[in-house]
Amino acid sequence: MKNPKIHLMCAIFLLMSSMVFTQNQWSAELRPALSFPSEDLGASKIRTGFGFEATVGYRFMEHLHAYLGWGYNNFPIEDSDADLDETGYTLGLQFIHPIGSSENLSYLLRAGAIYNHLEFEDSDGDLIDDSGHGLGWQIEAGLDYNIGNDWSFRPTVRYHSLTRDLEVTDDLSIDVDLNYVAFGLGIAKTF
């Protein structure tokens, strides 16, 4: 044994990494959703959108998780060839707690920040305007139903809020509020 400190550090690292993965502390989730805007963009009526979010979570307390992810939503604009796309990042905390004595059904609460931007695109997919990234927030409630082998279905309802500035012309900029309620069905794997 040339260097016992290195061997000891490797053994500790292997022990800790096996503990992390055997305690189901990590999770990954893919969540498609339908999004219903709560208001229009000025004179433009936004229609129901569709998107998805992918997140990775880490359980650092018995029922409390931190999560980080990326999401995309597309909203058609009525009487227009343009679409509104929202993309960006999300991070926050989620609380998952069993309902009563159930081992398979839990309630889920999330609250977090978003760092997203808005893009208007024409029917050819060409960019008309981009708001640049900015901060917003979201809250969410739902269920976590364990279907076995560390897989869960997660039906949720989310309220999402983002305000950004869009440059209409060189001299005119407008505030755009994108607020919506999203109904999603996530599928999550814990490992």
Side-chain angles (χ1 to χ4, degrees):
M1 209 181 232
K2 291 185 178 184
N3 193 340
K5 289 181 183 178
I6 291 176
H7 292 282
L8 179 62
M9 287 177 39
C10 289
I12 290 171
F13 175 75
L14 288 172
L15 179 63
M16 289 176 59
S17 65
S18 68
M19 287 171 50
V20 165
F21 288 108
T22 59
Q23 293 181 359
N24 294 334
Q25 290 183 304
W26 291 93
S27 64
E29 180 179 1
L30 180 63
R31 181 186 165 279
L34 286 175
S35 303
F36 298 90
S38 60
E39 58 190 80
D40 294 329
L41 292 177
S44 300
K45 181 171 176 55
I46 304 174
R47 294 168 47 210
T48 301
F50 178 78
F52 68 91
E53 185 174 275
T55 59
V56 174
Y58 178 74
R59 181 173 54 99
F60 60 92
M61 292 178 67
E62 184 178 3
H63 302 291
L64 194 58
H65 307 239
Y67 68 89
L68 174 68
W70 183 85
Y72 167 82
N73 270 293
N74 175 268
F75 297 92
I77 298 175
E78 194 170 284
D79 300 328
S80 173
D81 290 336
D83 283 345
L84 174 64
D85 288 340
E86 177 197 29
T87 57
Y89 308 95
T90 181
L91 65 100
L93 297 173
Q94 69 182 11
F95 182 78
I96 301 175
H97 193 277
I99 297 174
S101 61
S102 175
E103 293 182 17
N104 293 329
L105 187 61
S106 302
Y107 65 88
L108 177 145
L109 303 171
R110 285 186 184 138
I114 56 174
Y115 186 64
N116 289 3
H117 71 116
L118 304 174
E119 291 181 344
F120 284 96
E121 295 180 351
D122 63 20
S123 59
D124 295 329
D126 294 330
L127 183 65
I128 297 171
D129 197 8
D130 184 340
S131 69
H133 281 81
L135 289 174
W137 60 274
Q138 59 189 12
I139 55 174
E140 187 170 5
L143 297 173
D144 180 282
Y145 181 68
N146 184 343
I147 58 175
N149 294 326
D150 297 323
W151 287 93
S152 295
F153 281 125
R154 292 181 174 170
T156 60
V157 177
R158 173 183 291 179
Y159 183 79
H160 181 99
S161 179
L162 178 67
T163 300
R164 300 299 306 133
D165 288 332
L166 286 173
E167 196 172 299
V168 178
T169 65
D170 290 337
D171 300 333
L172 179 62
S173 179
I174 60 170
D175 284 338
V176 175
D177 294 321
L178 181 61
N179 301 315
Y180 57 85
V181 175
F183 296 93
L185 179 58
I187 185 156
K189 172 70 172 166
T190 304
F191 49 95

